[in-house]
């Protein structure tokens, strides 16, 4: 939000400079994020002065150039080379001196001493378009004879300069979304230490000229329209706004439109109360009705878009049709342009929830909706209406042709809060003197109803819509008193803490650090996604989607059921920017609709669980002279998954492993425990990746983080002495049916020899012409080790014979001896 210093000083006279004001605003919760300088002329004509041409002669080297001697009030005249056709002696002109910057045709031109066709030029005599004062470039700008050489051009042309604060307004401070609101807060801080005068524009001179153009106001939805005030002004002349008004609006980034519309914008940014002006000729039946329109109704809004009006949209209507989307955007047919002569001025207070829903459903955000969505002051409507009416009458002429019609079905009552003084001291950390507390509250317009030694009872001003409980009042006291005035305690209080097991944060950080050290980048995708991703996806049926009731768009209309699609979007984004070799990981929640499921005696309609996703795509590393390119494959992903399990103290081989079901994966594995699925990983099906626009193969692992942490917490770490005796390796080659998996061989081996068999390594798999059809050959290394002593050959041979016999009997293997 932009706040003009010149504008704010209309309400608060202060000698504080720009930096001091910035520090105070930040200290009281209105953080100044940036400070910029504004000039009614771009560049503010800095470095441009008034000069007098004292002599003029032709350039010896160019027929179309002249050499002008210019006097600027100090020192000797200097030479300027000029190509304008209207240069003559005695003229008063605007001269840009060396070092100045002119903004011409959206470009900044720096003036410097230079030689033109061999002659020195020490500045530039300017045309009006070069100064930003007009569009003419027919010749230099010739000034009145009474112009004084040496006068700064900014002073001569009355260029207005201003300082503009960019304030990061938090959602709970809508009371400060105006120049008067910011001045009010600033006055409270200054007024705590010295006398200060906060001046609100006076509207006591308001009076209707007659009642010749009354408009009836009817509120059919009092729950959505708390108050509606209006009046008519007849005989206005719609034209351009005066310079002072245009400068005020331009300083805060608004484009002037016409005097009536500009005044409504001016009052909005002055008071925080949105206004809207209607061309009264479009109000059929001289009635303004606040309510709903039938299903299928349409309205062309001021941005020239035809919009379908939803049944819940609150509308401002005349006797026959809709004119405006209440609190959001006006309609084109009742907009005020140069043809309007009579206007109806609206000042209302709409329900924040209603305006927010309507603005989001239509994808509209305006200055008015921004304020209505956060809550406006219902007591301010009439004041803002009178203020705007007086300005319109002053600037655009006309007469006020009706009194204020004010419909206020349910008058708002201020929130009353009882504030315990001991509670204030406890929350702040020190005791603020009672007199200062009282003064701060009064400066902030809190009305003290009752006070005794232990408590204060206060009424909150209606414009402070977010102050509803004692802690809010303490915050108001503290920010004006000054957070920096609270001394740092000299003692440190601490308590012993006990973290619940399992320590999820510790597991999280351990695995995240490991993956980052392996070259992964952590990503964070939006939990909101598009439901179309789940069309025809059997494993994630559309009926299980947790859908958003009022989505911002069709791209964000449901909660994600899997981390996959957010990762694919990130892969596409990077691949389109010449970064195809990717390793991502994401910790994130997934969501599903479970209907009326009963869990632990409670109805649970939605499920939420944390998952860890790994994404691999492209090559495994950068190309080097001594290393060939290697495309990422399934076994790279499997190794990373195994590392995660082992880092958490789990052996992936100790869980059930099976092929994936093919919903997401072309091929892959899933690892399960007795309680459920722990991880599923593999190559993402090409139909899914191609639908997302991914060209490379993508390997994805979906790890159920909640389940994995639960499994890890069940395991107890055990420590044992390092083995003192050597390992022995023996190899065995066997011919098997293709249906026999390596996992089967592994289970048979460990069931056969539990004492000295330490590990198995599958180092070769062969299928080909030399093997019987339907068969394959496994070459397996068996690692043997006895903790009690060195293994002898006879013991080794005995174990290997037992293993071979068991493989022949249980797996139908033929041992190749």
């Amino acid at each position: 939000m932009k706040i003009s210093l010149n504008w704010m000083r209309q309400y608060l006279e202060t000698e504080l400079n720009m930096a001091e004001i910035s520090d105070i605003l930040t200290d009281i919760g209105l953080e100044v994020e940036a400070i910029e300088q504004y000039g009614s002329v771009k560049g503010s004509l800095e470095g441009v002065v008034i000069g007098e041409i004292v002599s003029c002669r032709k350039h010896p080297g160019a027929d179309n150039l002249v050499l002008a001697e210019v006097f600027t009030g100090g020192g000797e005249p200097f030479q300027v080379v000029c190509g304008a056709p209207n240069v003559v002696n005695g003229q008063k002109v605007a001269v840009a001196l060396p070092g100045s910057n002119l903004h011409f045709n959206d470009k900044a031109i720096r003036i410097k001493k230079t030689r033109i066709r061999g002659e020195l030029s020490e500045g530039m005599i300017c045309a009006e378009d070069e100064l930003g004062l007009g569009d003419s470039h027919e010749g230099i700008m010739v000034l009145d004879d009474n112009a004084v050489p040496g006068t700064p051009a900014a002073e001569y042309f009355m260029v207005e300069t201003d300082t503009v604060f960019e304030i990061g307004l938090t959602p709970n401070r809508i009371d400060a979304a105006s120049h008067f609101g910011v001045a009010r807060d600033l006055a409270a801080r200054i007024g705590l230490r010295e006398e200060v005068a906060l001046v609100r524009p006076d509207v006591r001179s308001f009076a209707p000229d007659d009642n010749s153009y009354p408009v009836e106001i009817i509120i059919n939805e009092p729950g959505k329209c708390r108050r509606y005030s209006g009046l008519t002004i007849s005989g206005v002349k719609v034209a351009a706004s005066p310079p002072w008004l245009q400068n005020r609006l331009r300083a805060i980034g608004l484009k002037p439109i016409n005097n009536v519309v500009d005044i409504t914008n001016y009052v909005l940014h002055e008071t925080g109360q949105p206004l809207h002006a209607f061309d009264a000729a479009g109000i059929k039946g001289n009635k303004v009705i606040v309510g709903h329109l039938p299903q299928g109704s349409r309205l062309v809004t001021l941005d020239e878009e035809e919009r379908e009006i939803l049944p819940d949209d609150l509308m401002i209507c005349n006797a026959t049709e809709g004119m405006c989307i209440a609190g959001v955007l006006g309609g084109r047919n009742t907009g005020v342009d140069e043809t309007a002569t009579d206007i109806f001025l609206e000042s209302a207070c709409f329900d924040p929830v209603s305006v927010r829903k309507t603005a989001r459903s239509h994808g509209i955000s305006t200055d008015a909706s921004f304020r209505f969505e956060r809550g406006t002051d219902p007591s301010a409507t009439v004041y803002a209406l009178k203020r705007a009416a007086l300005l319109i009458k002053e600037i655009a002429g006309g007469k006020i042709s009706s009194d204020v019609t004010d419909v206020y079905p349910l008058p708002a009552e201020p929130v009353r809060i009882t504030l315990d003084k001991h509670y204030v001291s406890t929350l702040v950390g020190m005791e603020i003197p009672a007199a200062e507390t009282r003064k701060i509250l009064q400066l902030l317009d809190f009305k003290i109803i009752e006070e005794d030694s232990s408590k204060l009872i206060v009424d909150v001003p209606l414009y402070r819509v977010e102050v509803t409980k004692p802690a809010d009042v303490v915050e108001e006291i503290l920010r004006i008193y000054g957070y920096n005035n609270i001394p740092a305690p000299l003692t440190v209080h601490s308590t012993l803490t006990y973290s619940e097991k399992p320590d999820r944060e510790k597991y999280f950080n351990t695995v995240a650090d490991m993956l980052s050290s392996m070259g992964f980048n952590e990503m964070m995708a939006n939990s909101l996604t598009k439901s179309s991703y789940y069309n025809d996806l059997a494993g994630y049926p559309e009926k299980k989607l947790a859908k958003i009731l009022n989505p911002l768009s069709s791209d964000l209309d449901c909660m994600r059921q899997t981390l996959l699609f957010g990762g694919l979007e990130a892969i596409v984004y990077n691949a389109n920017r010449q970064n195809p070799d990717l390793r991502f990981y994401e910790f994130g929640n997934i969501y599903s609709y479970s209907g009326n499921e009963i869990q632990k005696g409670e109805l649970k309609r939605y499920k939420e669980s944390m998952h860890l996703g790994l994404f691999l795509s492209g090559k495994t590393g950068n190309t080097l002279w001594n290393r060939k390119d290697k495309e990422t494959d399934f076994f790279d992903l499997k190794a990373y998954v195994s590392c995660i399990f082992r880092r958490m103290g789990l052996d992936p081989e100790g869980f059930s492993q099976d092929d994936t079901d093919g919903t997401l994966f072309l091929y892959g594995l899933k690892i399960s425990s007795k309680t459920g699925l722990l991880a599923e990983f593999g190559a993402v099906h090409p139909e899914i990746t191609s639908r997302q626009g991914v060209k490379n193969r993508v390997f994805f692992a979906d790890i159920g983080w909640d389940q994995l942490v639960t499994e890890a917490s069940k395991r107890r770490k055990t420590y044992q002495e390092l083995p003192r005796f050597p390992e022995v390796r023996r190899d065995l080659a066997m011919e098997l049916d293709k249906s026999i998996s390596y996992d089967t061989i592994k289970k048979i081996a460990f069931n056969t020899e539990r004492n000295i068999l330490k590990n198995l390594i599958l180092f070769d798999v062969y299928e080909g012409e030399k093997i019987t059809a339907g068969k394959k050959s496994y070459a397996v290394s068996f690692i043997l080790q006895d903790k009690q002593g060195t293994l002898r050959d006879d013991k080794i041979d005995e174990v290997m014979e037992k293993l071979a016999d068991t493989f022949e009997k249980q797996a139908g293997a033929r041992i190749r001896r």
Side-chain angles (χ1 to χ4, degrees):
M1 182 186 72
K2 293 181 184 292
I3 294 293
S4 156
L5 182 56
N6 288 351
W7 191 344
M8 186 171 64
R9 278 186 165 143
Q10 293 177 202
Y11 320 116
L12 177 65
E13 291 186 11
T14 175
E15 299 300 322
L16 296 175
N17 61 37
M18 171 188 68
E20 291 170 328
I21 291 174
S22 173
D23 290 342
I24 291 175
L25 291 176
T26 299
D27 200 30
I28 61 178
L30 304 176
E31 183 181 2
V32 176
E33 297 178 336
I35 300 175
E36 58 188 52
Q37 299 302 317
Y38 165 80
S40 56
V41 175
K42 197 168 185 179
S44 301
L45 300 184
E46 190 173 345
V48 182
V49 298
I50 305 304
E52 181 179 0
I53 300 175
V54 295
S55 70
C56 187
R57 58 191 177 89
K58 281 199 169 187
H59 191 294
D63 292 338
N64 295 326
L65 298 178
V66 296
L67 304 178
E69 292 288 329
V70 179
F71 175 67
T72 56
E76 298 295 321
F78 54 88
Q79 180 173 279
V80 176
V81 178
C82 184
N86 62 330
V87 180
V88 296
N89 288 342
Q91 289 175 330
K92 302 290 179 65
V93 292
V95 183
L97 301 176
S100 61
N101 288 297
L102 297 179
H103 296 268
F104 178 55
N105 289 337
D106 294 326
K107 294 180 180 179
I109 303 172
R110 188 167 183 81
I111 305 302
K112 55 186 177 181
K113 289 184 181 181
T114 187
R115 288 192 174 274
I116 301 176
R117 298 286 184 94
E119 294 291 337
L120 181 65
S121 181
E122 299 184 74
M124 177 178 173
I125 303 174
C126 303
E128 67 175 42
D129 63 336
E130 294 164 338
L131 295 171
L133 298 173
D135 298 324
S136 174
H137 195 69
E138 295 179 356
I140 61 172
M141 189 175 188
V142 180
L143 310 180
D144 293 338
D145 290 340
N146 58 2
V148 179
T151 304
E155 179 183 326
Y156 179 83
F157 291 109
M158 293 184 290
V159 173
E160 181 173 340
T161 59
D162 198 356
T163 298
V164 179
F165 299 106
E166 181 74 44
I167 293 178
L169 194 68
T170 53
N172 66 322
R173 291 305 314 280
I174 195 61
D175 63 289
S178 65
H179 284 75
F180 186 80
V182 173
R184 180 173 51 210
D185 258 22
L186 187 60
R189 167 57 71 85
I190 299 171
L192 195 59
R193 305 289 177 238
E194 60 186 69
E195 287 297 321
V196 64
L198 181 66
V199 180
R200 192 183 193 194
D202 193 355
V203 297
R204 286 177 297 180
S205 61
F206 173 86
D209 296 294
D210 56 43
N211 198 32
S212 60
Y213 204 146
V215 171
E216 183 182 2
I217 296 172
I218 302 170
I219 299 179
N220 290 334
E221 294 288 337
K224 293 183 177 182
C225 179
R226 299 173 181 177
R227 188 175 190 179
Y228 195 101
S229 310
L231 56 78
T232 59
I233 306 175
S234 301
V236 299
K237 181 177 174 59
V238 180
S241 296
W244 71 265
L245 179 53
Q246 293 192 35
N247 286 333
R248 287 286 180 265
L249 298 180
R250 286 195 174 105
I252 60 171
L254 297 183
K255 181 182 178 182
I257 298 173
N258 61 53
N259 48 15
V260 173
V261 175
D262 291 350
I263 287 169
T264 61
N265 286 329
Y266 177 83
V267 173
L268 181 152
H269 287 275
E270 177 183 64
T271 66
Q273 171 61 42
L275 302 174
H276 187 68
F278 296 84
D279 184 346
I283 303 179
K284 297 176 182 177
N286 283 0
K287 288 184 179 181
V288 169
I289 303 170
V290 184
H292 296 303
L293 288 177
Q295 178 84 35
S297 300
R298 306 186 75 83
L299 177 72
V300 179
T301 48
L302 287 171
D303 56 2
E304 300 295 334
E305 284 197 29
E306 185 179 22
R307 302 179 187 275
E308 181 177 351
I309 303 304
L310 304 177
D312 286 339
D313 292 344
L314 188 67
M315 300 294 295
I316 308 300
C317 311
N318 56 35
T320 61
E321 61 189 358
M323 301 186 296
C324 171
I325 304 176
V328 180
L329 191 61
R332 183 186 64 185
N333 291 340
T334 54
V336 175
D337 56 22
E338 289 73 13
T339 63
T341 56
D342 304 325
I343 64 169
F344 174 77
L345 204 57
E346 163 198 284
S347 180
C349 179
F350 299 112
D351 176 60
V353 175
S354 172
V355 174
R356 186 180 302 115
K357 285 183 177 180
T358 298
R360 295 296 177 272
S361 62
H362 290 286
I364 304 172
S365 180
T366 61
D367 284 340
S369 68
F370 175 85
R371 286 158 177 80
F372 282 129
E373 286 174 27
R374 288 155 179 80
T376 58
D377 178 7
S379 66
T381 60
V382 173
Y383 170 82
L385 193 66
K386 290 179 177 179
R387 170 72 168 147
L390 289 172
L391 286 171
I392 291 172
K393 187 176 178 182
E394 174 189 339
I395 294 171
K399 64 178 182 178
I400 300 173
S401 50
S402 76
D403 203 349
V404 173
T405 303
D406 183 28
V407 182
Y408 199 1
L410 302 170
E413 294 293 333
V415 174
R416 181 162 293 181
I417 296 175
T418 300
L419 190 65
D420 185 278
K421 292 182 178 180
H422 177 69
Y423 171 76
V424 176
S425 301
T426 302
L427 201 59
V428 171
M430 63 169 284
E431 187 172 339
I432 299 175
E436 288 201 64
T437 299
R438 193 181 307 110
K439 188 172 184 179
I440 290 170
L441 291 173
Q442 291 169 341
L443 287 167
L444 291 174
D445 294 339
F446 284 75
K447 186 178 181 181
I448 298 175
I449 303 301
E450 183 182 328
E451 180 181 9
D452 59 31
S453 59
S454 63
K455 68 179 184 301
L456 276 167
I457 299 177
V458 298
D459 279 353
V460 180
L462 290 174
Y463 62 79
R464 296 309 305 271
V465 295
E466 84 291 349
V467 178
T468 58
K469 53 186 181 295
D472 298 332
V473 181
V474 176
E475 181 185 356
E476 293 302 298
I477 295 169
L478 188 52
R479 68 184 184 85
I480 299 302
Y481 182 77
Y483 291 101
N484 294 331
N485 293 326
I486 306 299
L490 299 177
T491 58
V492 177
H493 301 278
S494 65
T495 57
L496 295 175
T497 59
Y498 170 76
S499 59
E500 293 186 6
K501 303 297 181 182
D503 190 341
R504 300 174 60 85
E505 196 70 21
K506 182 178 179 181
Y507 283 120
F508 178 95
N509 290 330
T510 298
V511 172
D513 289 345
M514 182 190 73
L515 291 172
S516 296
S517 69
M518 289 176 165
F520 279 80
N521 289 307
E522 184 175 8
M523 60 166 283
M524 294 178 67
N526 198 337
S527 296
L528 294 172
T529 186
K530 58 173 71 174
S531 57
S532 61
Y533 285 156
Y534 299 92
N535 292 345
D536 304 322
L537 204 59
Y540 299 95
E542 191 173 353
K543 67 180 181 181
K544 287 195 173 184
L545 286 175
K547 294 190 174 182
I548 306 301
L549 293 177
N550 188 24
L552 296 176
S553 70
S554 59
D555 288 344
L556 300 170
D557 62 349
C558 69
M559 307 295 285
R560 62 187 176 188
Q561 285 196 73
T562 172
L563 302 179
L564 173 63
F565 295 109
L568 292 179
E569 289 174 354
I571 288 171
V572 170
Y573 183 89
N574 280 269
N576 289 341
R577 287 156 179 79
Q578 309 300 314
N579 185 28
D581 305 324
L582 303 166
R583 278 178 284 186
F584 292 147
Y585 73 92
E586 179 183 11
F587 286 94
N589 289 335
I590 63 170
Y591 310 83
S592 63
Y593 175 70
S594 54
N596 298 325
E597 183 177 321
I598 303 297
Q599 294 182 11
K600 297 181 180 180
E602 293 184 9
L603 177 64
K604 299 287 186 181
R605 300 186 66 187
Y606 296 93
K607 291 181 180 179
E608 176 182 358
S609 59
M610 178 171 276
H611 280 233
L612 167 60
L614 304 184
F615 301 87
L616 301 181
S617 184
K619 295 181 173 58
T620 57
N622 295 327
T623 303
L624 297 174
W625 65 272
N626 61 348
R627 184 177 68 190
K628 293 183 179 180
D629 290 344
K630 178 183 177 299
E631 292 288 335
T632 299
D633 59 27
F634 169 79
F635 297 100
D636 293 319
L637 181 63
K638 183 182 179 184
Y640 289 127
V641 173
S642 296
C643 284
I644 291 171
F645 273 72
R646 296 186 190 283
R647 191 68 184 88
M648 297 184 70
L650 301 172
D651 180 5
E653 306 298 334
F655 296 96
S656 172
Q657 298 189 12
D658 201 356
D659 293 336
T660 55
D661 58 13
T663 301
L664 295 180
F665 302 103
L666 183 64
Y667 55 86
L669 280 179
K670 55 183 177 182
I671 302 175
S672 304
S673 68
K674 293 180 180 179
T675 57
L677 184 66
L678 295 178
E680 189 175 17
F681 55 94
V684 181
H685 204 288
E687 288 185 6
I688 295 175
T689 54
S690 61
R691 200 165 61 188
Q692 295 291 112
V694 180
K695 297 178 181 178
N696 290 340
R697 287 193 305 170
V698 176
F699 296 90
F700 169 60
D702 184 10
I703 299 172
W705 184 251
D706 291 334
Q707 294 90 333
L708 196 64
V709 169
T710 301
E711 285 294 330
S713 65
K714 295 177 183 177
R715 302 293 197 271
R716 290 195 174 185
K717 289 185 179 179
T718 57
Y719 301 89
Q720 58 187 10
E721 181 184 6
L722 289 172
R724 292 183 293 166
F725 303 101
E727 295 177 346
V728 175
R729 171 173 170 160
R730 290 290 186 270
D731 299 338
L732 202 62
M734 61 190 83
E735 188 177 294
L736 302 152
D737 286 341
K738 285 186 176 181
S739 61
I740 303 298
S741 67
Y742 172 64
D743 188 52
T744 302
I745 298 299
K746 193 171 184 179
K747 287 178 180 177
I748 292 173
F750 279 108
N751 288 334
T752 303
E753 178 52 54
R754 299 176 183 272
N755 295 324
I756 66 172
L757 180 60
K758 186 178 179 182
N759 196 15
L760 274 73
I761 300 173
L762 177 64
F763 66 88
D764 187 45
V765 179
Y766 177 76
E767 296 179 29
E769 297 178 357
K770 298 180 181 180
I771 299 295
T772 307
K775 301 286 185 178
K776 62 183 175 182
S777 174
Y778 274 177
V780 183
S781 292
F782 297 83
I783 309 301
L784 308 174
Q785 187 179 50
D786 190 346
K787 296 179 181 179
Q788 307 301 321
T790 303
L791 287 170
R792 298 190 308 274
D793 287 343
D794 56 343
K795 177 66 174 177
I796 297 170
D797 293 341
E798 179 187 342
V799 170
M800 294 305 296
E801 283 295 329
K802 184 168 64 171
L803 287 170
D805 291 344
T806 307
F807 290 141
E808 288 176 340
K809 292 176 183 177
Q810 296 187 15
R814 183 174 70 83
I815 306 301
R816 301 172 66 186
R817 303 181 186 275

